């Protein structure tokens, strides 16, 4: 297990111009200023950064352009942007605002051709396919609009379809474990990883360094995304990387 090659990715969930965080997508509270946090995570040694406008799809609008540009100006690592991307043209506009990659979720549910259209126009390497997933009656369902709407779509089949359509990366976010800090959803991630070959970013549930080591042991997991533990300074990225370096070869 080449654990020291994995990426650490903090996520800025944006609502009302501020970084926010909740538990299981509920109880959302403000955390801080996106620009200051972006600057902090760059200095901390983050491998990539995610800017996620969580209310864009719900409100039926595009990503917060001015705020994104301000974050991009201080950012020095690959930046993935999500929120309100419904068409290939939206995809292009987000890239022009400073994104290196664009993550699509609700937009793909509404328009399944979005991934293939974007991949053909901008390249698969810039297309990130994201799924918010929750257990419903023992099955993994895809949820839309920041986890507020059960689509009834089988998440495992949806992941395969996303890869077939040309996505270059897959983000699997477990609503069941989001913000709980009890560890990533290993069952869900294992099921997805057994079905796709593109890199998978694990999201939802990190609470301590050991959780990153555990999820990086799964084949196909390229990165660990987290928010709460970094925002609240419970774990520093520098300390986490030091810990993981000691786990190399486990």
């Amino acid at each position: 297990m080449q654990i020291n090659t994995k990426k650490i990715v903090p996520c800025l969930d944006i609502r009302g111009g501020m970084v926010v965080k909740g538990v299981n997508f509920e109880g959302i509270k403000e955390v801080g200023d996106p620009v200051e946090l972006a600057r902090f995570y760059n200095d901390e040694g983050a491998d990539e950064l995610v800017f996620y406008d969580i209310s864009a799809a719900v409100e039926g609008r595009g990503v917060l352009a001015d705020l994104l540009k301000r974050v991009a100006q201080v950012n020095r690592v690959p930046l993935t942007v999500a929120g309100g991307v419904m068409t290939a043209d939206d995809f292009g506009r987000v890239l022009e605002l400073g994104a290196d990659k664009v993550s699509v979720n609700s937009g793909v549910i509404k328009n399944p051709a979005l991934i293939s259209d974007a991949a053909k126009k901008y390249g698969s390497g810039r297309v990130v396919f994201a799924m918010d997933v929750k257990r419903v009656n023992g099955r993994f369902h895809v949820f839309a609009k920041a986890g507020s709407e059960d689509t009834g779509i089988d998440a495992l089949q949806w992941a395969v379809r996303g890869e077939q359509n040309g996505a270059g990366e897959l983000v699997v976010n477990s609503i069941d474990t989001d913000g709980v800090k009890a560890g990533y959803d290993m069952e869900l991630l294992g099921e997805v990883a057994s079905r796709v070959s593109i890199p998978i970013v694990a999201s939802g549930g990190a609470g301590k360094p050991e959780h990153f080591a555990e999820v990086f042991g799964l084949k196909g997991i390229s990165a660990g995304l987290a928010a709460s533990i970094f925002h609240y300074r419970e774990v520093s990225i520098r300390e986490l990387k030091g810990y993981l370096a000691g786990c190399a070869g486990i």
Side-chain angles (χ1 to χ4, degrees):
M1 175 172 56
Q2 293 182 318
I3 205 164
N4 58 340
T5 65
K6 309 296 185 179
K7 296 181 292 187
I8 305 301
V9 185
C11 182
L12 306 179
D13 293 310
I14 311 293
R15 189 177 73 175
M18 296 293 288
V19 175
V20 299
K21 196 68 188 81
V23 177
N24 304 132
F25 283 33
E26 297 179 351
I28 304 295
K29 298 179 180 179
E30 286 191 0
V31 175
D33 177 73
V35 177
E36 292 306 313
L37 281 170
R39 184 181 286 112
F40 171 75
Y41 289 133
N42 273 255
D43 293 341
E44 269 277 285
D47 296 300
E48 296 190 6
L49 184 67
V50 173
F51 177 107
Y52 181 19
D53 187 339
I54 65 173
S55 55
V58 177
E59 296 173 3
R61 59 168 174 79
V63 70
L64 295 170
D66 290 342
L67 182 58
L68 173 55
K69 285 190 287 187
R70 288 170 53 214
V71 168
Q73 285 173 352
V74 304
N75 181 63
R76 304 184 303 274
V77 298
L79 177 64
T80 297
V81 176
V85 178
M86 309 303 286
T87 67
D89 287 341
D90 292 338
F91 199 103
R93 280 191 287 271
V94 172
L95 290 175
E96 290 175 359
L97 290 169
D100 296 289
K101 296 183 286 186
V102 180
S103 180
V104 290
N105 183 344
S106 294
V108 181
I109 295 167
K110 186 175 181 180
N111 173 22
L114 177 56
I115 289 178
S116 57
D117 290 346
K120 290 174 184 176
K121 193 168 184 179
Y122 304 104
S124 292
R126 289 191 157 190
V127 181
V128 180
F129 177 37
M131 305 189 302
D132 291 328
V133 183
K134 186 176 182 179
R135 289 168 177 78
V136 178
N137 297 323
R139 295 177 62 244
F140 294 116
H141 281 201
V142 174
F143 277 63
K145 297 181 179 178
S148 65
E149 181 181 294
D150 182 2
T151 67
I153 296 171
D154 181 278
L156 304 182
Q157 296 176 7
W158 195 235
V160 172
R161 186 173 177 182
E163 178 178 30
Q164 292 173 340
N165 285 346
E169 187 174 66
L170 174 63
V171 176
V172 180
N173 186 37
S174 171
I175 296 174
D176 294 313
T177 61
D178 178 77
V180 178
K181 302 179 186 176
Y184 290 100
D185 195 327
M186 299 296 286
E187 179 188 12
L188 169 61
L189 290 164
E191 291 288 348
V192 173
S194 69
R195 290 166 169 79
V196 303
S197 58
I198 56 177
I200 298 171
V201 179
S203 175
K208 56 185 179 179
E210 288 82 358
H211 293 152
F212 289 86
E214 179 184 32
V215 80
F216 288 162
L218 282 177
K219 182 180 179 181
I221 304 299
S222 65
L225 184 151
S228 298
I229 61 169
F230 297 145
H231 294 339
Y232 297 120
R233 311 294 197 265
E234 295 167 12
V235 175
S236 81
I237 293 176
R238 291 189 185 282
E239 291 172 351
L240 174 57
K241 286 191 169 186
Y243 168 80
L244 292 174
C247 294
I250 292 178

